[in-house]
Amino acid sequence: MRRRVVAAAVFAIAAGLLSPVVATPATARAAQVVRVDDLNSTRAALFIDSPAMGRTIQVQVLHPAGGGARPSYYLLDGLDPGAAQSTWTNATDAEPFFQGRNVNVVMPIGGQASYYTDWASDDPRFGRYKWETFLTEELPPIIDGYFAGNGVNAIGGLSMGGIAAFVLAVRHPGMYRAVAGYSACPDLTIAQGAIMFSIANRGGNPFNMWGGPGSADWGTHNPAAMTEALRGKTIYLSTGTGIPGPHELEIKPQLPENIFFGGPIESGVDACVTSFENQLRTANIPARVEHNPVGTHSWSYWQDTLHDSWPTIGGAIGA
């Protein structure tokens, strides 16, 4: 390997959570690439010293083998991302799928239960989460500089990452031409309880993210309250119904989990996506929303919808 070194349940447990720790502001210095590992001719791992996060963050990039400028697709992970690589490359065929396509696929590594946002306070379990600053300010110039990015971007993700993709798209409307959510609920009014529970269930204090229920920060991050910022963007959303489908017929170790956990979760996501779709229609904002008649909250279906979404997302960014 060639290495280049370069300069509701929440309320019941809330009383037992640790008090927030006030975060100190990040320094004004720019993020620096401290190492680049070329994993193969079309996949690289960047290790970036992030002033906002106060530590080194790994980002893996799928990129064309040849030269020439190209757009970038920021592809976000779910609640429990891999530590060594994105689950997109570990659990789907994303790497071979994007080979030969003229796009940088940018996958941050880590960020368990972070929702890829800037947390109001440092968390005893997770430390400092300033993912929004990292993804929208520190990382893009590095990607464009190292991988011939042309400044045209899209963002997408599954579940937690899909929620985050829509949050970042409405908060930074000039940065992304397209946004995709695979089994993601962009209406935080509906998703708030599930989001807070998911953080607490992994040992974090959900109040450290955007404060408690009713706080102003929840409103300023809610895509359903900021749909106008999506006008003019290419939008893709996909969801199943929670009913077992063809992938549940496959024999694999995760089958019970897919059915008994992924089924109910996907059913809830489907209801949320339907509500969000109705809001977009009321506002006359076009969107491609795929309601699959079957499908659970699981990786086999996200691989399918990644493939299905690409003509829409890739077309929007000229890839």
Side-chain angles (χ1 to χ4, degrees):
M1 183 184 299
R2 182 165 57 90
R3 179 173 293 176
R4 290 181 280 138
V5 178
V6 189
V10 174
F11 301 109
I13 63 173
L17 295 172
L18 295 176
S19 299
V21 178
V22 177
T24 56
T27 62
R29 65 183 179 86
Q32 300 289 328
V33 176
V34 297
R35 193 173 92 227
V36 179
D37 292 350
D38 292 319
L39 305 178
N40 57 47
S41 62
T42 57
R43 180 176 173 183
L46 282 72
F47 295 83
I48 300 168
D49 175 22
S50 165
M53 301 276 263
R55 62 182 184 273
T56 298
I57 304 297
Q58 183 187 172
V59 176
Q60 292 194 4
V61 182
L62 307 177
H63 59 87
R70 76 288 301 242
S72 299
Y73 185 33
Y74 290 76
L75 190 58
L76 306 180
D77 217 324
L79 272 168
D80 297 299
Q85 63 176 309
S86 169
T87 319
W88 280 109
T89 54
N90 185 47
T92 78
D93 66 352
E95 183 168 11
F97 176 74
F98 282 108
Q99 280 186 350
R101 302 182 190 274
N102 190 42
V103 63
N104 299 318
V105 181
V106 183
M107 300 170 292
I109 309 302
Q112 183 186 40
S114 67
Y115 288 86
Y116 295 105
T117 191
D118 283 3
W119 285 37
S121 304
D122 291 353
D123 187 78
R125 167 69 175 85
F126 298 124
R128 177 163 301 168
Y129 272 167
K130 296 292 181 183
W131 281 100
E132 179 175 347
T133 299
F134 177 74
L135 290 171
T136 64
E137 297 179 19
E138 295 180 339
L139 183 58
I142 290 173
I143 296 300
D144 289 351
Y146 275 74
F147 298 100
N150 62 8
V152 176
N153 303 310
I155 189 166
L158 79 304
S159 194
M160 176 191 85
I163 293 173
F166 275 83
V167 171
L168 294 174
V170 297
R171 288 174 60 82
H172 302 271
M175 180 164 286
Y176 307 107
R177 288 192 185 177
V179 56
Y182 312 104
S183 297
C185 174
D187 189 337
L188 303 191
T189 305
I190 296 174
Q192 183 180 75
I195 289 172
M196 296 185 80
F197 178 77
S198 70
I199 294 170
N201 189 48
R202 285 154 180 81
N205 182 343
F207 294 172
N208 283 335
M209 188 169 75
W210 297 324
S215 71
D217 275 356
W218 279 89
T220 60
H221 289 83
N222 188 358
M226 307 165 72
T227 54
E228 191 60 32
L230 295 172
R231 191 176 302 280
K233 298 188 187 307
T234 296
I235 301 169
Y236 177 94
L237 272 168
S238 63
T239 176
T241 58
I243 298 172
H247 291 302
E248 278 68 46
L249 297 177
E250 303 167 3
I251 299 174
K252 54 187 177 180
Q254 289 186 317
L255 183 60
E257 179 182 345
N258 289 359
I259 294 175
F260 296 111
F261 294 97
I265 291 172
E266 193 70 3
S267 177
V269 171
D270 188 43
C272 176
V273 168
T274 299
S275 174
F276 188 73
E277 180 184 16
N278 290 336
Q279 289 182 263
L280 294 178
R281 285 179 175 173
T282 300
N284 293 315
I285 297 174
R288 182 184 170 196
V289 183
E290 296 294 335
H291 293 275
N292 300 314
V294 296
T296 61
H297 205 71
S298 54
W299 279 100
S300 298
Y301 293 101
W302 297 326
Q303 174 174 290
D304 291 346
T305 51
L306 176 68
H307 290 200
D308 181 66
S309 71
W310 186 242
T312 299
I313 300 301
I317 59 176

